[in-house]
Amino acid sequence: DKKQLFSIVTSTLKELGFKHWKPSVWRRTGTEISDRVYLQRSCYSNLYYYHYGYIINNLPTLSGTYCHTFGDIDLSLYKKIAKVLDLENDLSDGERERDLQDLLLQIVPATIPMNTEKELKDFLLKEQLNLSIDVMDYLKIKLTSEGYKDVDE
């Protein structure tokens, strides 16, 4: 059930330095960059979607958003975590707990390695994820016909 799912996520993310912040959001606050993990409930079934993102601490958060930019995970891992977060499938409570803990311990350290604005900027330039104009201006990133580039280059 939802209560057990959130309990598993909370205890697992606590090991990685996250605190339960809002009903479906966990955060880890750094000096320059803070990380968010959140679960979004499907409107159509008892399924949750896994999301994570980054907050640039010196950049005001846009109204109604939890993150300035979102991360990306490997499709095969996303499919595995989606199965575990589907509360309508036939996984036993023990299987769901074990699989969710294992997946979070794999995904979170691999996908949230940012501590500084420079590390985040380098990551965003490499990964070419969607960025808001506020983030582009703050990190001095421009959009060209070849993708995102550092303004200083």
Side-chain angles (χ1 to χ4, degrees), residues 52 54 72-73 77 104-114 123:
Y52 75 89
Y54 308 102
D72 196 13
I73 63 173
L77 283 176
L104 286 172
L105 291 171
Q106 283 178 50
I107 291 170
V108 174
T111 55
I112 307 182
M114 302 328 137
F123 170 78

Side-chain angles (χ1 to χ4, degrees), residues 8-134:
I8 296 165
V9 173
T10 298
S11 65
T12 305
L13 291 178
K14 186 177 181 180
E15 294 175 35
L16 300 169
F18 284 81
K19 292 181 181 176
H20 198 182
W21 181 48
K22 291 190 176 189
S24 60
V25 181
W26 295 260
R27 69 179 178 177
R28 177 173 56 188
T29 304
T31 54
E32 292 184 34
I33 304 295
S34 294
D35 311 325
R36 302 286 186 271
V37 170
Y38 68 100
L39 299 180
Q40 175 189 3
R41 189 173 190 282
S42 170
C43 295
Y44 306 103
S45 67
N46 202 9
L47 168 74
Y48 289 84
Y49 301 101
Y50 170 87
H51 302 282
Y52 75 89
Y54 308 102
I55 293 286
I56 302 167
N57 295 342
N58 289 326
L59 182 62
T61 305
L62 303 174
S63 177
T65 64
Y66 287 123
C67 302
H68 288 117
T69 185
F70 296 96
D72 196 13
I73 63 173
D74 179 74
L75 184 58
S76 64
L77 283 176
Y78 192 85
K79 287 180 180 179
K80 289 177 185 177
I81 201 161
K83 179 182 176 187
V84 173
L85 295 176
D86 181 354
L87 300 181
E88 294 177 359
N89 67 22
D90 58 358
L91 285 176
S92 71
D93 290 345
E95 287 176 301
R96 186 177 317 281
E97 182 173 357
R98 183 193 67 237
D99 292 351
L100 183 55
Q101 286 174 335
D102 289 347
L103 285 165
L104 286 172
L105 291 171
Q106 283 178 50
I107 291 170
V108 174
T111 55
I112 307 182
M114 302 328 137
N115 294 306
T116 66
E117 291 176 0
K118 180 177 181 346
E119 288 175 340
L120 179 61
K121 180 178 181 176
D122 292 345
F123 170 78
L124 294 172
L125 288 169
K126 178 181 172 228
E127 296 297 322
Q128 299 289 306
L129 302 173
N130 290 333
L131 299 177
S132 71
I133 291 173
D134 291 340

